[in-house]
Amino acid sequence: MSAPSEVPDRPVALVVRIAAMQPFTIHTGRFIALDRANIDTDAIIPARFLKKIERTGFGELLFMDLRRRDGQLDPAFPLNRPEAAEASILVARQNFGCGSSREHAVWAIQQAGFRAVVAPRVGDTPAFADIFRTNSYKNGLLPVEVSEPFARRLLAAGTGQLTIDLNQQRLTAHLPDGDFAEPFSIPEGTRRMLLEGLDEIGLTLRHEADIAAYEARHPDLAPVESPAP
Amino acid sequence: MGQTLYDKIWHAHTVAQLPTGETLLYIDRHLIHEVTSAQAFDGLRLAGRRVRRPDLTFATADHNVPTDPDRLAVKDALSRAQIDTLQRNCAEFGITYYGLDSRRQGIVHVIGPELGLTLPGQTIVCGDSHTSTHGAFGSLAFGIGTSEVEHVLATQTLRVTRSRTFAVEINGQLARGVTPKDVILRIIRDIGTGGATGHVIEYRGSLIRSLGMSGRMTICNMSIEAGARAGLIAPDDTTFAYVAEGNRPFAPKGRSLAAAMERWRGLASDADAVFDRTYTLDVSTLAPQVTWGTTPAMATDVTGHVPEPDQVPFVNPVDVERALTYMGLKPGQAIQDIPIDVVFIGSCTNSRIEDLRAAAAVLRGKRVAPHVRVLVVPGSQQVREQAEAEGLDRIFLAAGAEWRQAGCSMCLGMNPDQLRPQQRSASTSNRNFEGRQGVGGRTHLVSPAMAAAAAIAGHFVDVRTFGGA
Ligand code: SF4
């Protein structure tokens, strides 16, 4: 347990290492576990930081209010631990990213140096909230849903090495008591997008003829304003 | 096998099946606000793209706006820059924008229906998770992130993977003082905050049929708090009557309205349609709900107590303990013994005229407790005008409440209306997450009538026996 004085006044994992929109193939890195369920987007990045009109500068705001206790960095918070400085994979519990649609949550996680988030499905509750998962895909942050026993081992270890192979859709943990692996699945189309880092809008625009045909079949899409009564 | 309402809207809007397994869906209405759009417009400019259908895109400022009388002078420089950026982007790309000086300004999910932009059978998206509100009209409406906002701006379509379907059937009649807010809080409490993730909920049953549009919107609004992608209610005569009201400038009129209604009558799940999941609730004995924790599922009856950590379904005891520590509560405490500091009546969940009437009915002729600050924030400038025409503003002011301008206000800690650390609120909004209403703030979610009653008593009370409701 490190004394508060050893905690740098700037959160270590917050040395912003902006991951440019890079394709995801295979990644080995340190994970850091945040043993909580239902981590909502207000916790990931509080609303008062959403006033920026740029896409950057969110990394150092990640978990801003959870990191602090009475205005000081809380040394007990996992992301304030020294190991977190080099972590590139975040491990948490189910329903991660619930709440608002703010893509800023994904930007903050990525810009703090993370390439993937790993969480378990528990019963009927999936690992990730829908909008967060979609936002992650669009930015090349990989949300990996694992089994509950697998997650429990990672959460118990707190930190360690993980290898995420998107080609094989396989996750391998390297812990002091040995390696253990588990398959995961990402929808095939999304997986190809992530592997190749494609421009989705550009791909959709290739369907211009289909879109135009739909519009031709629906000439009355636009609402017409009637005069005030 | 028959089709669900979701299937029908989905098929009607399919532009193409994509090789990725996704479907390209056409988007009928794209609503925009200041917080989640700036980066999307930047992306468009960077790629040299245009907005494909500015005529299907509508914008307003709501999250960041002050709600005090001289709000036109937005004092916070960052907020002002964000609002100005939206205005500039709308002007550049030819999008209709309702700014702070517009009589049509308001919370995006309140003004869409009010202006007749929201119609049955549509697909509606917005960079905001409570877009699910519009599902009350039988439209497929869901929140999207900024990358998707950019995608819709550029293509008027979205690449979407099908959700599973979830039928929530609600029967019975509500007791006096029990409201649609209590119904949806009870549903979330029963199925959990992630219980509907991956699903689109269709609300059905006799209770839904008996509700007006406002109550239906309250229920659909909070679908996202159970994780659902969207909430849907099949349109009926109640829906059509709302759309036909004279003051909806963008709704179809006359013969085109009659033709549209013919089509809309087909917007219901077939009798033999099969849902992936079902859940049934009888509300006859439902009590007003109050949340005690830091997720909307952490709720109980107003007559109940703060639970023991090992007595909460879906939640680990350690997470309950953390929530109780944050909330400053102890297991076994009676809900009605919890004192409050602030009452917030507003948000896209409960800021329509019906909500304000319900609060006014309780507050009429009473005074709020001396130590309690009460904010009443209409969802739109039109709701504000209507409330003033009915004299509701005078009831609020006479009771000692503040009567504000339209916006998201204290629903989220982004504009000047915020809780201070450890201040405790009774709030008609939709999220009680840590810090949601301001750093360290403690939120209890309730209905407008319950919030008004708590304002008078200074602590939670059962509005069924409190009088006025
Ligand atoms: S009122 Fe609250 S929930 Fe609704 S749009 Fe505004 S911030 Fe979001």
Side-chain angles (χ1 to χ4, degrees):
Chain A
M1 186 70 191
S2 49
S5 61
E6 291 168 28
V7 179
D9 59 15
R10 190 175 150 79
V12 269
L14 299 188
V15 182
V16 180
R17 294 158 284 161
I18 296 173
M21 187 40 177
Q22 45 184 320
F24 197 114
T25 45
I26 185 162
H27 174 76
T28 296
R30 177 172 291 281
F31 70 87
I32 191 88
L34 195 47
D35 192 357
R36 294 187 184 216
N38 301 312
I39 294 181
D40 59 75
T41 52
D42 281 275
I44 297 169
I45 181 146
R48 63 186 187 280
F49 300 127
L50 307 185
K51 295 179 183 178
K52 297 161 77 73
I53 53 173
E54 300 84 21
R55 245 177 208 266
T56 51
F58 294 101
E60 54 197 52
L61 306 170
L62 178 66
F63 295 123
M64 181 58 106
D65 294 336
L66 295 189
R67 282 173 178 276
R68 283 172 177 69
R69 181 173 292 193
D70 305 325
Q72 303 290 311
L73 282 179
D74 175 4
F77 188 73
L79 269 78
N80 289 338
R81 288 164 49 177
E83 312 89 271
E86 47 162 302
S88 59
I89 300 164
L90 188 62
V91 176
R93 289 200 276 120
Q94 73 274 17
N95 201 26
F96 187 93
C98 61
S100 93
S101 67
R102 60 187 73 161
E103 200 159 309
H104 312 68
V106 170
W107 300 335
I109 293 170
Q110 271 188 321
Q111 291 167 19
F114 293 98
R115 304 276 339 258
V117 184
V118 175
R121 166 181 282 270
V122 177
D124 280 334
T125 302
F128 300 97
D130 287 333
I131 308 179
F132 179 86
R133 190 164 42 82
T134 305
N135 286 344
S136 298
Y137 292 152
K138 306 290 177 197
N139 287 276
L141 176 75
L142 189 66
V144 184
E145 182 171 278
V146 296
S147 71
E148 217 182 336
F150 191 95
R152 225 180 279 131
R153 291 178 74 170
L154 300 181
L155 291 165
T159 185
Q161 295 286 315
L162 266 179
T163 297
I164 303 173
D165 185 341
L166 185 57
N167 259 317
Q168 304 294 322
Q169 299 188 68
R170 198 168 175 77
L171 187 63
T172 310
H174 317 282
L175 294 180
D177 54 338
D179 286 9
F180 56 104
E182 188 173 277
F184 65 91
S185 89
I186 299 285
E188 187 48 30
T190 306
R191 196 174 70 92
R192 281 211 303 275
M193 291 279 200
L194 289 164
L195 286 169
E196 292 162 33
L198 296 170
D199 165 25
E200 278 200 335
I201 297 177
L203 287 179
T204 299
L205 286 172
R206 292 190 204 161
H207 290 271
E208 168 59 32
D210 294 324
I211 302 172
Y214 182 96
E215 289 174 332
R217 288 198 304 276
H218 299 84
D220 300 328
L221 288 169
V224 182
E225 179 165 0
S226 55
Chain B
M1 197 177 82
Q3 290 190 313
T4 63
L5 173 54
Y6 174 63
D7 295 325
K8 292 182 183 181
I9 301 174
W10 181 275
H11 292 312
H13 290 82
T14 297
V15 170
Q17 283 305 331
L18 301 175
T20 57
E22 296 161 303
T23 300
L24 196 60
L25 278 192
Y26 200 84
I27 301 301
D28 293 325
R29 296 285 183 270
H30 188 191
L31 307 176
I32 289 198
H33 65 84
E34 74 276 23
V35 179
T36 56
S37 62
Q39 294 88 346
F41 283 109
D42 278 347
L44 280 190
R45 265 189 295 267
L46 222 58
R49 290 174 176 140
R50 66 192 175 102
V51 175
R52 183 183 181 89
R53 293 297 299 261
D55 56 338
L56 304 183
T57 313
F58 291 82
T60 191
D62 53 6
H63 285 64
N64 229 332
V65 307
T67 61
D68 53 284
D70 60 339
R71 65 186 188 147
L72 279 179
V74 181
K75 290 179 200 83
D76 181 273
L78 281 176
S79 298
R80 195 173 53 238
Q82 198 167 52
I83 295 167
D84 289 349
T85 301
L86 176 62
Q87 182 168 14
R88 261 201 319 278
N89 282 329
C90 288
E92 178 182 341
F93 291 96
I95 294 166
T96 303
Y97 168 65
Y98 301 124
L100 288 183
D101 54 354
S102 168
R103 283 182 59 198
R104 291 177 176 177
Q105 180 268 340
I107 304 172
V108 62
H109 310 309
V110 175
I111 70 169
E114 180 175 87
L115 295 173
L117 290 167
T118 302
L119 298 173
Q122 292 177 327
T123 49
I124 303 176
V125 297
C126 173
D128 190 280
S129 60
H130 291 99
T131 307
S132 59
T133 313
H134 308 261
F137 290 78
S139 49
L140 177 59
F142 53 92
I144 57 177
T146 298
S147 294
E148 290 181 306
V149 169
E150 184 179 338
H151 191 283
V152 177
L153 287 172
T155 70
Q156 203 56 35
T157 65
L158 206 55
R159 311 167 76 97
V160 197
T161 308
R162 272 181 70 89
S163 300
R164 280 169 295 173
T165 52
F166 192 160
V168 172
E169 180 158 334
I170 316 167
N171 295 313
Q173 276 192 340
L174 293 172
R176 199 176 135 83
V178 186
T179 71
K181 179 65 163 288
D182 303 298
V183 173
I184 187 64
L185 283 171
R186 176 75 218 201
I187 291 168
I188 299 163
R189 173 183 164 189
D190 288 352
I191 67 177
T193 49
T197 304
H199 293 75
V200 166
I201 296 177
E202 182 179 334
Y203 300 97
R204 309 145 63 84
S206 62
L207 186 269
I208 292 294
R209 290 295 136 223
S210 72
L211 292 179
M213 292 315 296
S214 178
R216 295 181 188 187
M217 283 190 256
T218 299
I219 289 179
C220 286
N221 171 276
M222 288 191 71
S223 305
I224 182 73
E225 309 311 332
R229 197 79 182 87
L232 278 174
I233 292 175
D236 57 13
D237 288 335
T238 303
T239 322
F240 305 151
Y242 179 100
V243 172
E245 273 175 37
N247 54 348
R248 316 220 175 279
F250 292 104
K253 306 272 181 318
R255 215 174 301 155
S256 61
L257 177 62
M261 281 190 198
E262 273 318 300
R263 287 198 312 277
W264 293 342
R265 287 193 193 279
L267 290 168
S269 292
D270 296 332
D272 56 343
V274 177
F275 292 83
D276 296 305
R277 276 185 71 190
T278 55
Y279 169 79
T280 305
L281 176 70
D282 188 309
V283 295
S284 308
T285 57
L286 184 69
Q289 302 291 298
V290 180
T291 65
W292 49 263
T294 53
T295 78
M298 293 177 174
T300 192
D301 296 356
V302 64
T303 49
H305 297 80
V306 176
E308 297 293 331
D310 58 355
Q311 301 288 308
V312 183
F314 310 113
V315 192
N316 281 4
V318 307
D319 291 320
V320 176
E321 278 165 21
R322 183 181 292 124
L324 292 183
T325 304
Y326 180 85
M327 293 297 291
L329 297 174
K330 296 256 178 310
Q333 235 176 307
I335 294 294
Q336 301 195 45
D337 288 346
I338 301 173
I340 52 158
D341 309 304
V342 175
V343 169
F344 170 57
I345 296 170
S347 90
C348 57
T349 312
N350 282 126
S351 65
R352 286 170 288 272
I353 190 69
E354 293 82 354
D355 301 308
L356 302 188
R357 286 178 192 145
V362 176
L363 287 168
R364 186 188 308 270
K366 305 250 174 51
R367 289 288 301 175
V368 306
H371 64 279
V372 178
R373 178 185 182 202
V374 182
L375 284 89
V376 185
V377 188
S380 70
Q381 291 301 86
Q382 292 204 46
V383 170
R384 187 181 149 88
E385 282 180 24
Q386 174 72 25
E388 292 181 353
E390 297 180 17
L392 304 186
D393 57 324
R394 291 192 293 280
I395 295 174
F396 296 132
L397 291 167
E402 298 172 37
W403 175 238
R404 315 280 295 193
Q405 305 278 327
C408 294
S409 184
M410 203 182 267
C411 177
L412 89 171
M414 180 160 197
N415 55 70
D417 304 339
Q418 299 196 19
L419 292 181
R420 293 196 304 273
Q422 310 202 344
Q423 262 190 337
R424 188 181 295 285
S425 76
S427 177
T428 67
S429 55
N430 43 53
R431 285 188 177 138
N432 52 348
F433 299 154
E434 288 186 26
R436 170 75 180 183
Q437 293 191 292
V439 183
R442 294 166 169 168
T443 303
H444 297 267
L445 303 176
V446 290
S447 73
M450 282 286 290
I456 297 165
H459 55 86
F460 293 106
V461 285
D462 188 343
V463 71
R464 290 174 300 181
T465 49
F466 187 71

